[in-house]
């Protein structure tokens, strides 16, 4: 189950705006785009985007990514990718 922002409550709307303010959300992790055979470090994050969905994995061990993109998309489950063990951390949609 993926948990994310489902609503935003404005507690103090301010005043004097000449146009509506913009609300922006950052990506949840600083991550390297997955590449075949790419090099990573333990504790870093890897991401892969397909069809407008970005998935994130944390590198638990190893240094070299595999020849196919990670496919594990069950929260807190791991998969082996090349010499790495990746822990699935979640998604961002609508990008």
């Amino acid at each position: 189950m993926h948990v994310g922002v489902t609503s935003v409550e404005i507690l103090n709307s301010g005043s004097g705006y000449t146009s509506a303010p913009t609300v922006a959300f950052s990506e949840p992790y600083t991550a390297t785009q997955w590449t075949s055979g790419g090099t990573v470090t333990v504790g870093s994050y890897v991401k892969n985007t397909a069809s407008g969905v970005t998935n994130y994995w944390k590198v638990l061990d190893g240094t070299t990514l595999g020849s196919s993109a990670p496919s594990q998309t069950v929260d807190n489950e791991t998969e082996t990718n090349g010499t790495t063990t990746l822990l699935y951390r979640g998604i961002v949609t609508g990008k």
Side-chain angles (χ1 to χ4, degrees), residues 31-38 40 44-50 53-60 64-74 77-91:
T32 301
Q33 177 62 43
W34 178 89
T35 57
S36 177
V40 292
S44 65
Y45 289 85
V46 175
K47 66 181 177 179
N48 192 47
T49 303
V53 175
T54 302
N55 288 281
Y56 292 86
W57 297 266
K58 184 175 185 177
V59 180
L60 298 181
T64 306
L65 297 170
S67 59
S68 297
S71 58
Q72 174 58 264
T73 57
V74 176
E77 293 290 326
T78 61
E79 86 173 88
T80 300
N81 188 272
T83 67
T84 67
T85 301
L86 303 176
L87 174 68
Y88 184 68
R89 299 307 298 150
I91 64 171

Side-chain angles (χ1 to χ4, degrees), residues 24-28 92 95:
F25 296 91
S26 299
E27 292 187 76
V92 173
K95 289 201 155 229

Side-chain angles (χ1 to χ4, degrees), residues 17-23:
Y17 295 107
T18 58
S19 62
T22 300
V23 176

